[in-house]
């Protein structure tokens, strides 16, 4: 499904669509490292729900669900309920 909305800055590009109570998000970026995205009730890094993704040298894709408790590397979010779903 093509996402309806887009923000195209210098990099990356963010696409989103809202369907009932679900937000679909797609981020495209040219990078040699990782890309991350967070949502926060205050609009700051602290207390934000974060996803970080990267592609390994052999092409394997990885995503981490994380939570930022301060202005530093977000911790792994181990409180997913049920496991495997974002909270």
């Amino acid at each position: 499904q093509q996402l309806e909305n887009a923000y195209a800055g210098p990099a990356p590009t963010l696409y989103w669509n809202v369907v009932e109570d679900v937000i679909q998000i797609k981020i495209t970026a040219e990078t040699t490292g990782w890309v991350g995205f967070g949502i926060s009730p205050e609009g700051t890094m602290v207390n934000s729900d974060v996803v970080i993704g990267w592609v390994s040298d052999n092409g394997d894709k990885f995503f981490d669900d994380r939570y930022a408790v301060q202005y530093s590397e977000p911790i792994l979010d181990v409180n997913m309920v049920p496991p495997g779903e974002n909270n």
Side-chain angles (χ1 to χ4, degrees), residues 31-81:
T31 178
T32 58
W34 54 270
V35 65
F37 179 80
I39 298 175
S40 164
E42 294 91 20
T44 64
M45 184 174 174
V46 176
N47 297 322
S48 62
D49 195 15
V50 177
V51 64
I52 298 174
W54 67 97
V55 179
S56 70
D57 290 339
N58 64 0
D60 293 332
K61 297 164 190 72
F62 296 92
F63 289 94
D64 277 351
D65 181 20
R66 294 182 170 259
Y67 186 78
V69 295
Q70 58 187 0
Y71 289 100
S72 63
E73 180 181 349
I75 61 173
L76 283 174
D77 190 345
V78 295
N79 295 318
M80 294 187 296
V81 179

Side-chain angles (χ1 to χ4, degrees), residues 4-5 16-24:
E4 297 176 1
N5 304 291
W16 71 93
N17 196 26
V18 179
V19 179
E20 295 181 16
D21 63 344
V22 175
I23 300 174
Q24 301 168 325

